[in-house]
Amino acid sequence: MYDASAPKGRLIARKITLFWTNFEAGRGVITDPMCGFRVYPLVPALALGRTGDRMDFDIEIAVRLVWAGVPVINLPTKVRYIGRDEGGVSHFRVFGDNVKISWLHTRLSFQRVMVRPWINLYRRLRRPALPAGR
């Protein structure tokens, strides 16, 4: 939940990322893919292996945990941007982080369309058939 301190550019960027995250993980599953205020289950998160290491981390780990079947609990969190005059510091690198996030969405979307359907089919075929009447 953003207040009036949120820069317009950041709000637009979040809407773009939310569009792609809805495509990758399912509409409404992850309500804010870029909010770094998260709690992850340790074992499933570590099982994912290497993920992004900057602003792409939050998006990637959230989508991959959804793909791994980890339930998501979204809780509203107030976000206030603190200006430089108040001591606020941004670690966002406009060019570098936008390139990383764009590349991440390219990879995740490709996997969503080209790879995930085959993985899901393989998992369905491997499941043992239920006995009749169940």
Side-chain angles (χ1 to χ4, degrees), residues 20-123:
W20 286 111
T21 304
N22 280 335
F23 174 73
E24 296 152 2
R27 179 166 293 284
V29 175
I30 301 167
T31 57
D32 188 352
M34 296 185 76
C35 180
F37 187 62
R38 299 184 187 280
V39 176
Y40 305 106
L42 188 57
V43 174
L46 290 174
L48 296 177
R50 188 181 183 288
T51 57
D53 60 357
R54 285 198 46 84
M55 302 298 173
D56 54 338
F57 173 81
D58 288 315
I59 302 163
E60 183 171 14
I61 196 166
V63 170
R64 292 194 183 280
L65 285 171
V66 166
W67 288 354
V70 176
V72 176
I73 300 170
N74 294 293
L75 299 173
T77 304
K78 290 184 180 183
V79 177
R80 179 176 174 260
Y81 283 86
I82 301 171
R84 283 200 170 126
D85 56 326
E86 298 176 89
V89 177
S90 174
H91 297 283
F92 190 82
R93 297 183 308 212
V94 175
F95 180 77
D97 286 328
N98 278 318
V99 167
K100 280 186 149 200
I101 291 169
S102 297
W103 178 236
L104 170 67
H105 284 304
T106 301
R107 290 189 334 264
L108 291 176
S109 294
F110 177 81
Q111 290 175 5
R112 167 74 170 82
V113 172
M114 302 302 289
V115 177
R116 299 293 312 165
W118 294 106
I119 291 171
N120 293 338
L121 177 62
Y122 173 75
R123 286 180 179 161

